[in-house]
Every structure is written in structure tokens, then in C-alpha cells.
Amino acid sequence: MIFFAEMYHFMALNVLLAYTPLEISFHLKKVQKRMFYLLGMFWLLFYPNAPYLFTDFFHLEQLTIYQGMNQIFGQALSDWVSFSLLTVGICVYGFLGMATVFTVLNESIQRNIFIKKWQEFIFILLINVLSSLAIFVGRFNRLHSVYVFTKPIQTVKIIFFDWSLNKMLFILLLTIVQIMFLAAIFGLKGLKLIED
């Protein structure tokens, strides 16, 4: 993104933020239970950046290759390179980041944090609802994960105390989309994990 994209330079940061939960998930297997909870909180803080990437598809409208309805697509190679970089960044890090849900779930089961099957389903649902909430405030209130550290009071107020019907419907919609992604892309892995 930094070296080859003529546009979408901002995606370098978005992809880095989406990679963060993946990196954290690599370390979850190596830590004791107390440290597991701390790393788990950091994972939860950065996890929404992975599904957030899918909302970046809206930036495709900036490309000149799309000329409107009933028009031919343009052949500007630089735009197709930008399209490819955006799509690969979104899909690869979006899906890899979302796969960490199963890593965290598996590690929680191994540590007897979740003993019953319904706890696993509640965990997945809760993660997706919280993630959808974070996507909403990230997309519409322009909050980043780092604001929890730089502007904690204002961030908490915007996230948890500023509600509207549109916000609730968006959260419901994005929760359904995320669960569908998890079921479609990682369904077999997830089903095997839950059966074990």
C-alpha cells in the first residue's frame, strides 16, 4: 500500500490495525491464564479493525474505472492496481483477523473458561455485536482503537452513551454480516472446534 498504491495510502494503517489481533492471537497459546485475560482484552480492543476493513470497499467509488450504470469499465491499469491492492488488503486481513475469533475461543476452551456449548455461542455473538458497535463508531464517528488511550472518556461516551435507531439497526445488520462471514469462510473450522 505504501510503496505501490497511487491512492488508498490510508489502507496501510487500516491493514496494520487489522493485523494486530492476528499478532496478539499468536501469543495467546504461550501465556499463563492471568496474562491470557490481559492479552484477550487487547485482542478485543483491536479485533473490530478486521471486519471494519470490509466497509472500506466504499472507497472503490474513487476509481475512474467505474463510469456509472450501463457503462463500460475503464482500462486504466493504475486504477486496476489500486483496486487489486484494496481488495487483497481487505479480504486477506479481514478474513485472517476474523479467524482469530476461533483461536481465542479455542484457547478459552482449553483453559476451561468456557465449559458449556452455549457459552461458546454467546461469546461469538457478543464479540460480533461489540465489533459491530466499534465499526459503527469507527466509520461514522471516526474513532480509532488508539482513542481508548488518548481520549478515553470521550471515546467511552460516544461508544456506550450515544444511541440512535440507525446505530442499533446498523449494529444488527453488521452482526448478521459478520456471523455469515464466520459461518461461510470459517464454518468448518468453527464447527469442528465447537464439536471437540
Side-chain angles (χ1 to χ4, degrees):
M1 293 291 180
I2 291 172
F3 298 112
F4 299 107
E6 291 185 15
M7 47 193 333
Y8 306 138
H9 295 286
F10 63 89
M11 281 298 292
L13 175 62
N14 288 3
V15 166
L16 176 66
L17 290 171
Y19 172 76
T20 304
L22 184 62
E23 183 65 35
I24 292 169
S25 74
F26 293 147
H27 301 284
L28 286 173
K29 298 176 182 180
K30 305 172 188 174
V31 297
Q32 299 296 325
K33 197 168 188 177
R34 194 172 294 173
M35 191 62 163
F36 176 80
Y37 287 118
L38 182 63
L39 274 179
M41 286 189 290
F42 275 105
W43 171 83
L44 181 59
L45 179 64
F46 286 96
Y47 171 77
N49 291 296
Y52 176 88
L53 281 178
F54 292 102
T55 67
D56 283 328
F57 273 122
F58 284 106
H59 296 293
L60 288 173
E61 71 180 1
Q62 297 172 7
L63 299 177
T64 61
I65 54 176
Y66 177 67
Q67 301 168 3
M69 297 295 280
N70 302 319
Q71 299 282 331
I72 314 174
F73 281 96
Q75 295 182 16
L77 187 59
S78 63
D79 276 4
W80 283 104
V81 168
S82 293
F83 167 84
S84 300
L85 289 172
L86 185 71
T87 302
V88 167
I90 289 171
C91 292
V92 170
Y93 286 98
F95 291 137
L96 285 176
M98 289 185 73
T100 62
V101 167
F102 296 113
T103 303
V104 174
L105 180 60
N106 187 38
E107 288 301 312
S108 298
I109 292 167
Q110 297 295 323
R111 296 162 192 274
N112 293 321
I113 295 169
F114 300 133
I115 300 168
K116 303 194 186 252
K117 296 291 178 206
W118 65 266
Q119 293 171 323
E120 298 167 24
F121 290 112
I122 294 294
F123 170 78
I124 290 173
L125 180 63
L126 186 61
I127 292 301
N128 285 296
V129 168
L130 290 173
S131 178
S132 297
L133 173 60
I135 292 168
F136 181 89
V137 298
R139 179 55 64 198
F140 300 110
N141 298 117
R142 305 307 299 154
L143 291 181
H144 283 279
S145 301
V146 293
Y147 287 2
V148 170
F149 303 109
T150 59
K151 301 176 182 178
I153 295 172
Q154 181 184 357
T155 301
V156 168
K157 182 181 174 191
I158 290 170
I159 294 173
F160 296 110
F161 297 104
D162 185 17
W163 288 94
S164 68
L165 181 60
N166 281 345
K167 185 176 183 177
M168 289 186 283
L169 292 175
F170 181 91
I171 290 168
L172 176 64
L173 177 65
L174 264 287
T175 299
I176 292 168
V177 168
Q178 288 181 77
I179 289 172
M180 289 174 68
F181 276 170
L182 289 172
I185 306 303
F186 307 109
L188 294 177
K189 181 180 179 181
L191 287 174
K192 183 180 181 304
L193 175 66
I194 290 172
E195 287 171 3
D196 288 347

